[in-house]
Amino acid sequence: MKHYAMRFISGKYQGGEFPLAANSEIVVGRSSDLDMVLVEDMVSRRHAKIAVNGDQVTIQDLGSTNGTFVNGERVKRAVLNDGDRVLIGTSIIKLVTSEAAVGAAPAAKQLQEVAAHRRTNQVRSMSGAIDEVPLPDLLQLFGSSRKTGVLVVKTYTDIGKVYLEKGIIILATINDSEVLAPEKSIYRIITWRHGTFYMEPAEEGQLPNRMAMSAEGALMEGIRIFDEVNRIELPSMLSRIALSRPLTAKLRDLTPEQLDVLQVVLHQTQIEAVFNNCPLDDIKIAECFAVLISGGYLKITPPT
């Protein structure tokens, strides 16, 4: 028989793990007399119930105020599969298989110790790694749960910000650039695969270039663009890039868009960074890259 656990991958209890004993039920909520106690305002006193019956794990919302979400969908009751992500309050919890069952009491104590340690180190309550929680999943969760705030995403080279108002994307930026359109920024950020994220409170005052885009709409268009770019078959986004030296190819043979991409290359060292900092749409950038690479204008070094 499989052993399962609920692993906290974002939120106040990130890093904690709560084992699920065979043929058992646990109640999750803010009340101190429950099995899994999550002390935060967005969690109801009795929020949800998780039940294990053989190899099947189910979750049931207990009439909570802010809802229980599974893979971005608000549910009353759902069967959980290995790897499914549950959002309760500000905690994202992943169902994982576990080596062996551990008692609920030690697990509950460990969760509180994790929370205390994170408080001591002043870590933001909702944070995590996008390697663990992909951005499309995260945005879908925030859209369904009508989150308000600023999602900040950091990679090795760039910082993206997605401004949310009741789950609607109202602005997106990369490196606070005023050159990139908000739509371009959100479609780029969705494709990032490595880095960290955290939520900040909503900023006060009027935002420039305000828009209104659903998370679902952003994901659909972002994935379409991503697929079109992949069809062009460029080197890895993490490849290093530089102008070929000596440059024997003629600049006069390039279009204005190709020259624009070449100009950005002069200030960046990675293919993905060029996409993140060039105002052209990603499909046009990919087409320009294909010409610049095949024409001998650029030197490509694969990632190590």
Side-chain angles (χ1 to χ4, degrees):
M1 180 181 293
K2 289 183 179 178
H3 294 292
Y4 291 102
M6 301 300 293
R7 178 177 297 162
F8 287 74
I9 57 177
S10 174
K12 181 177 179 179
Y13 301 92
Q14 182 186 346
E17 192 165 296
F18 196 101
L20 303 176
N23 301 315
S24 66
E25 291 185 348
I26 66 166
V27 178
V28 184
R30 200 174 68 245
S31 179
S32 60
D33 61 346
L34 301 181
D35 306 297
M36 185 193 291
V37 181
L38 304 182
V39 185
E40 56 172 289
D41 293 341
M42 291 186 66
V43 176
S44 297
R45 290 184 60 80
R46 288 173 54 86
H47 197 105
K49 180 171 68 177
I50 300 172
V52 182
N53 184 9
D55 285 341
Q56 186 180 78
V57 181
T58 59
I59 188 165
Q60 177 185 348
D61 185 79
L62 299 178
S64 66
T65 301
N66 294 301
T68 300
F69 297 82
V70 176
N71 298 329
E73 297 293 328
R74 186 165 185 164
V75 300
K76 291 184 177 179
R77 184 182 183 279
V79 175
L80 298 180
N81 297 305
D82 193 8
D84 282 350
R85 296 175 181 87
V86 176
L87 176 68
I88 294 178
T90 64
S91 292
I92 301 176
I93 318 166
K94 184 162 112 175
L95 179 68
V96 298
T97 53
S98 180
E99 291 297 323
V102 179
K109 181 180 178 182
Q110 188 233 15
L111 280 187
Q112 301 314 314
E113 289 173 350
V114 167
H117 178 73
R118 287 176 64 80
R119 252 193 328 270
T120 301
N121 288 276
Q122 297 182 329
V123 178
R124 292 175 175 88
S125 63
M126 179 165 264
S127 61
I130 58 176
D131 308 65
E132 183 77 46
V133 192
L135 285 171
D137 292 5
L138 195 61
L139 281 174
Q140 192 171 6
L141 282 170
F142 290 167
S144 299
S145 56
R146 297 172 59 81
K147 283 280 187 289
T148 294
V150 183
L151 172 64
V152 181
V153 186
K154 292 186 176 182
T155 70
Y156 292 116
T157 56
D158 300 286
I159 299 176
K161 295 180 181 177
V162 181
Y163 297 74
L164 296 161
E165 188 175 272
K166 295 182 178 179
I168 298 296
I169 300 168
I170 58 173
L171 181 64
T173 64
I174 296 175
N175 301 326
D176 293 324
S177 171
E178 297 180 357
V179 175
L180 300 184
E183 293 83 1
K184 151 90 177 183
S185 297
I186 186 61
Y187 301 148
R188 282 296 316 136
I189 292 170
I190 286 169
T191 69
W192 295 356
R193 294 293 179 264
H194 307 285
T196 59
F197 73 87
Y198 58 85
M199 284 289 286
E200 288 187 337
E203 295 185 4
E204 296 182 1
Q206 189 68 28
L207 294 174
N209 303 321
R210 184 185 172 102
M211 61 179 184
M213 182 183 295
S214 69
E216 183 179 359
L219 292 174
M220 290 178 63
E221 181 63 9
I223 290 170
R224 183 192 71 80
I225 293 171
F226 181 76
D227 289 342
E228 289 292 326
V229 168
N230 279 346
R231 287 195 184 96
I232 299 175
E233 297 185 351
L234 297 178
S236 165
M237 283 283 181
L238 301 181
S239 297
R240 297 184 69 80
I241 190 166
L243 199 64
S244 295
R245 297 186 186 279
L247 182 61
T248 57
K250 305 299 182 184
L251 293 177
R252 65 171 176 265
D253 295 335
L254 298 178
T255 67
E257 289 87 358
Q258 291 160 1
L259 286 170
D260 287 345
V261 172
L262 201 62
Q263 180 70 29
V264 178
V265 170
L266 295 176
H267 302 282
Q268 305 296 335
T269 59
Q270 195 178 64
I271 289 181
E272 183 167 60
V274 175
F275 276 87
N276 291 345
N277 290 277
C278 181
L280 296 174
D281 71 69
D282 283 10
I283 298 173
K284 177 58 69 175
I285 294 173
E287 292 170 346
C288 291
F289 258 129
V291 172
L292 294 172
I293 293 170
S294 64
Y297 293 89
L298 300 176
K299 176 185 176 182
I300 307 295
T301 305
T304 55

